Amino acid sequence: FDELEKVPNLQNKISSYLTIQEGCDKFCHFCVVPYTRGPEYSRPYMQIINEAKSLIRNGAKEIILLGQNVNAYHDDSLNTKNADLAYLINKISEFDKIKRIRYMTSHPNDMNNSLIEVHGNNLKLMPFLHLPIQSGSDNVLKKMNRKHNVKKYYKIIDPIFFLKAKNTVEKLITKSFRRVLFKQTHRF
């Protein structure tokens, strides 16, 4: 991410993307991201804040935080607090000119209580969650090496619906995983 800091983000758009995390440590059987992007790596908090300020100066009203597993974001360099995604969302929302915040793509195993709570408490966080389940079958999820099951997925999304009844949860169902029966994939 050091190179990103040297190149100013000159997006002159109402809605702007801001990369905060790259890579993946999950090694799902169908995915090449850990091999092509490397291990999970989070961008330093101050770099993100500085780029957000730049985007705001260029007219951004909405910031979309990006990462392969964006909710795995963390920065331990802050003296006062471990900055996770919920902390970052709350800090970005303090900018008056920012009206909307989104993030994608999440992983069920990296959802935590502070991030679930921010969906109910932060009015600038849009009621949208991109949270791939990949399958509605625990057996298929295990074969995919997803390390979560359907029950855990519901344990994540149920409180988000409760906190913000209008939340839209986009469920990504992978239909092409080998030897998956159609009825197993659509059980969700």
Side-chain angles (χ1 to χ4, degrees):
F1 288 112
D2 293 336
E3 296 303 313
L4 278 177
E5 193 173 38
K6 295 175 188 174
V7 180
N9 189 338
L10 299 177
Q11 292 185 58
N12 194 8
K13 300 177 181 178
I14 297 295
S15 183
S16 295
Y17 295 102
L18 201 165
T19 299
I20 65 166
Q21 183 272 343
E22 285 190 355
C24 181
D25 295 337
K26 307 297 188 273
F27 293 94
C28 300
H29 289 174
F30 58 88
C31 186
V32 299
V33 171
Y35 305 102
T36 58
R37 298 285 185 143
E40 288 176 354
Y41 179 79
S42 294
R43 192 170 177 192
Y45 170 79
M46 285 311 301
Q47 275 189 18
I48 295 167
I49 294 300
N50 289 335
E51 186 169 338
K53 289 177 183 177
S54 173
L55 293 170
I56 292 165
R57 281 191 300 273
N58 289 333
K61 303 279 185 223
E62 174 181 51
I63 291 183
I64 303 164
L65 303 172
L66 298 177
Q68 274 80 37
N69 288 322
V70 70
N71 56 339
Y73 174 80
H74 67 280
D75 184 351
D76 301 328
S77 68
L78 298 177
N79 294 333
T80 57
K81 181 175 171 70
N82 176 15
D84 63 2
L85 182 58
Y87 180 82
L88 184 62
I89 288 168
N90 285 327
K91 287 300 180 183
I92 291 173
S93 73
E94 291 176 5
F95 294 115
D96 290 335
K97 292 185 178 181
I98 291 298
K99 305 301 180 198
R100 298 179 305 274
I101 301 170
R102 301 177 197 268
Y103 64 92
M104 62 177 30
T105 293
S106 305
H107 193 287
N109 291 342
D110 292 316
M111 290 298 290
N112 59 35
N113 288 335
S114 64
L115 187 54
I116 291 170
E117 288 172 12
V118 85
H119 276 273
N121 300 332
N122 192 311
L123 297 176
K124 292 185 179 182
L125 181 60
M126 292 291 88
F128 172 82
L129 176 61
H130 182 254
L131 188 65
I133 186 172
Q134 304 296 349
S135 174
S137 164
D138 288 342
N139 184 38
V140 173
L141 289 168
K142 186 175 182 178
K143 288 178 181 177
M144 293 172 122
N145 197 34
R146 287 293 286 171
K147 298 180 183 78
H148 71 276
N149 58 31
V150 174
K151 184 178 180 179
K152 180 177 180 175
Y153 190 85
Y154 277 119
K155 200 173 183 179
I156 294 165
I157 63 171
D158 284 347
I160 292 172
F161 281 126
F162 178 76
L163 290 169
K164 239 181 204 176
K166 294 180 181 174
N167 259 320
T168 299
V169 177
E170 183 178 75
K171 299 171 291 287
L172 179 60
I173 307 289
T174 301
K175 296 178 186 175
S176 61
F177 190 71
R178 288 183 176 191
R179 294 178 301 226
V180 176
L181 297 175
F182 181 80
K183 65 181 183 178
Q184 285 183 312
T185 307
H186 289 82
R187 199 178 297 164
F188 178 72

